[in-house]
């Protein structure tokens, strides 16, 4: 590895590196937010209480079956295959010519939503049944209980897992280069193809990926501490000492 080559590659191609990092962060952050909403929606749908008869019961069973199929499909297939199916398949089957950035956000969002659905389901299951009973006793319906009692706690409990999902998305967006998304891996591949210095080029990309993931993890850790409040922070400080 030559330091002179690394500095030369950065000097001549810094705009391409920054452009790739920008699209990587754009797709991963938007997709994580959308995926979280999908996960919470599926988690709520799985908890709706309905009497075991009538149209509402069978309609909900059908919806939950479809949502379960969605979760299992996106958890059980590689994202790189999903990207090819969505980008090329929708165009061939339905004539939907989607922009590659839009397709990338859609694929990562659906993939994230499938994983977040299981994370949220676990978060909802962790809430003590006594809280449901207490909320019902004061006249709250199911959606009021979920909105005012359960989901605020679940949102805090699943925040670390959501942060991990964001970090995974930052790295996994590299597979979107197969549909022409000009994220960091795509740009680095183009740069290394021009100068034939593959190690030095991808070393720069590696550093950029680390900066993005490390920064994201530090920001999320700060948010967690803010949500926990000063008491939790002081407790953590005492344990560290």
């Amino acid at each position: 590895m030559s330091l002179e080559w690394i500095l030369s590659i950065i000097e001549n191609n810094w705009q391409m590196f920054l452009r790739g990092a920008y699209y990587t962060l754009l797709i991963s952050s938007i997709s994580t937010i959308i995926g979280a909403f999908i996960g919470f929606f599926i988690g709520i749908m799985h908890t709706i209480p309905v009497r075991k008869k009538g149209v509402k019961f069978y309609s909900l069973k059908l919806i939950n079956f479809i949502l379960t199929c969605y979760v299992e499909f996106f958890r059980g297939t590689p994202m790189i295959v999903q990207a090819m199916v969505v980008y090329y398949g929708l165009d061939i089957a339905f004539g939907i010519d989607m922009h590659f950035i839009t397709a990338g956000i859609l694929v990562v969002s659906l993939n994230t939503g499938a994983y977040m659905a299981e994370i949220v389901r676990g978060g909802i299951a962790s809430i003590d049944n006594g809280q449901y009973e207490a909320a019902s006793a004061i006249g709250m319906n199911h959606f009021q209980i979920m909105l005012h009692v359960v989901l605020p706690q679940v949102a805090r409990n699943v925040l670390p897992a959501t942060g991990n999902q964001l970090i995974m998305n930052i790295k996994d967006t590299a597979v979107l280069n197969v549909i022409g998304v000009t994220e960091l891996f795509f740009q680095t591949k183009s740069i290394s193809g021009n100068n034939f210095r593959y190690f030095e080029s991808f070393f720069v990309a590696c550093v950029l990926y680390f900066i993005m993931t490390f920064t994201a993890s530090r920001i999320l850790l700060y948010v967690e501490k803010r949500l926990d409040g000063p008491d939790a922070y002081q407790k953590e400080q005492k344990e560290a000492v």
Side-chain angles (χ1 to χ4, degrees):
M1 181 176 67
S2 171
L3 180 60
E4 290 77 10
W5 266 107
I6 291 176
L7 295 176
S8 175
I9 289 170
I10 294 174
E11 181 181 358
N12 296 326
N13 303 281
W14 64 269
Q15 290 181 322
M16 293 182 68
F17 280 120
L18 288 183
R19 189 181 303 116
Y22 166 74
Y23 282 120
T24 293
L25 287 174
L26 177 70
I27 294 172
S28 58
S29 57
I30 292 177
S31 300
T32 302
I33 294 171
I34 296 174
F37 278 106
I38 294 173
F40 274 95
F41 170 75
I42 295 175
I44 293 171
M45 290 299 297
H46 283 321
T47 62
I48 297 176
V50 180
R51 292 182 179 179
K52 294 184 178 181
K53 60 180 180 179
V55 177
K56 287 185 178 180
F57 172 73
Y58 290 106
S59 298
L60 185 61
K61 289 282 286 183
L62 177 61
I63 292 172
N64 283 333
F65 174 76
I66 294 172
L67 293 176
T68 300
C69 291
Y70 151 71
V71 170
E72 294 300 326
F73 175 79
F74 278 92
R75 279 166 54 91
T77 55
M79 189 188 293
I80 191 170
V81 176
Q82 297 164 11
M84 299 288 282
V85 170
V86 169
Y87 185 66
Y88 296 109
L90 290 179
D91 188 18
I92 295 172
F94 305 103
I96 301 176
D97 187 12
M98 194 178 300
H99 191 272
F100 55 83
I101 297 295
T102 305
I105 292 174
L106 177 61
V107 170
V108 181
S109 297
L110 292 174
N111 192 278
T112 302
Y115 284 94
M116 286 300 301
E118 291 300 299
I119 294 170
V120 172
R121 182 186 63 80
I124 293 175
S126 68
I127 304 300
D128 185 71
N129 288 332
Q131 298 192 35
Y132 292 95
E133 296 171 0
S136 298
I138 62 175
M140 284 188 176
N141 59 36
H142 176 73
F143 288 102
Q144 288 174 327
I145 294 172
M146 295 298 295
L147 182 62
H148 298 291
V149 179
V150 177
L151 292 185
Q153 299 179 70
V154 172
R156 170 59 189 90
N157 292 340
V158 305
L159 184 60
T162 306
N164 290 336
Q165 192 64 46
L166 171 61
I167 292 171
M168 288 176 59
N169 286 342
I170 291 175
K171 296 181 293 182
D172 290 348
T173 50
V175 305
L176 299 177
N177 77 94
V178 298
I179 59 173
V181 177
T182 54
E183 41 70 53
L184 183 55
F185 180 84
F186 183 96
Q187 297 284 12
T188 307
K189 189 168 64 172
S190 299
I191 293 168
S192 61
N194 291 332
N195 57 35
F196 298 103
R197 305 295 296 194
Y198 291 92
F199 182 82
E200 289 84 353
S201 299
F202 279 98
F203 178 81
V204 175
C206 183
V207 172
L208 288 174
Y209 275 117
F210 175 75
I211 292 172
M212 289 188 288
T213 55
F214 181 79
T215 303
S217 65
R218 294 300 97 184
I219 292 173
L220 289 165
L221 183 61
Y222 173 77
V223 172
E224 287 180 40
K225 288 182 178 180
R226 295 287 294 180
L227 291 175
D228 287 338
D231 293 338
Y233 177 74
Q234 291 171 6
K235 180 181 178 182
E236 183 177 324
Q237 291 290 91
K238 290 178 182 179
E239 290 177 351
V241 174

